[in-house]
Amino acid sequence: MISPQIRWSLDDFFLSAQVDENGVLSTPLSIELENEGFLPFTVTGLSAEVPGLRLLPAGDTPDEPDAVTVNGGDLQVWTRRVVITDCAAVPREPQPVRFTYTTWMGPGSSEVIWKSGQLTVDGRSVPIAWQRGLAGKVCNDAMSPDLF
């Protein structure tokens, strides 16, 4: 099977703490899918087993479709919602996410570890896992008095 040439990345610019009427802490997750090949592919699923985080199923709304097609040489942003169930339980080591997709040759899957960010501590740069950075920002924002 020939895999599509995809650049997967996480756009953390739009991360924001959202607390619903039941006290559930979540954030929209913007995922950039860039097709570096010539033929289209459709991403049909996203899953991850990360302690302290839970990816919600797609809502199949215009903002959150259950699948997204990316034409050759194109870039699409796919939005999914992630719930932070336990801020302290989110691991410090980068965790993989699994995408499922279809191409003209049939279905496939890819496991990806998103690029980690950097934190400056005592003048030196320290890597911080993507999921730890996400949870840290959202959990800290949730403690902001401006949210309530």
Side-chain angles (χ1 to χ4, degrees), residues 23-94:
V24 175
L25 177 61
S26 68
T27 188
L29 188 64
S30 297
I31 304 157
E32 293 180 348
L33 307 168
E34 184 175 3
N35 186 344
E36 295 178 334
F38 298 106
L39 300 172
F41 64 83
T42 300
V43 176
T44 57
L46 172 67
S47 62
E49 294 182 22
V50 179
L53 299 179
R54 186 168 46 98
L55 285 164
L56 296 181
D60 199 19
T61 65
D63 292 339
E64 200 176 296
D66 62 351
V68 63
T69 298
V70 186
N71 293 319
D74 201 4
L75 171 89
Q76 293 288 335
V77 176
W78 193 30
T79 301
R80 296 290 300 275
R81 182 155 299 280
V82 63
V83 171
I84 292 88
T85 58
D86 184 347
C87 294
V90 177
R92 298 188 186 284
E93 294 298 318

Side-chain angles (χ1 to χ4, degrees), residues 103-136:
T103 68
W104 65 275
M105 293 186 66
S109 66
S110 180
E111 195 169 87
V112 178
I113 295 181
W114 282 316
K115 180 181 172 190
S116 295
Q118 298 289 317
L119 183 64
T120 302
V121 177
D122 296 330
R124 61 187 173 101
S125 185
V126 178
I128 183 166
W130 71 266
Q131 76 280 349
R132 193 73 195 153
L134 177 145

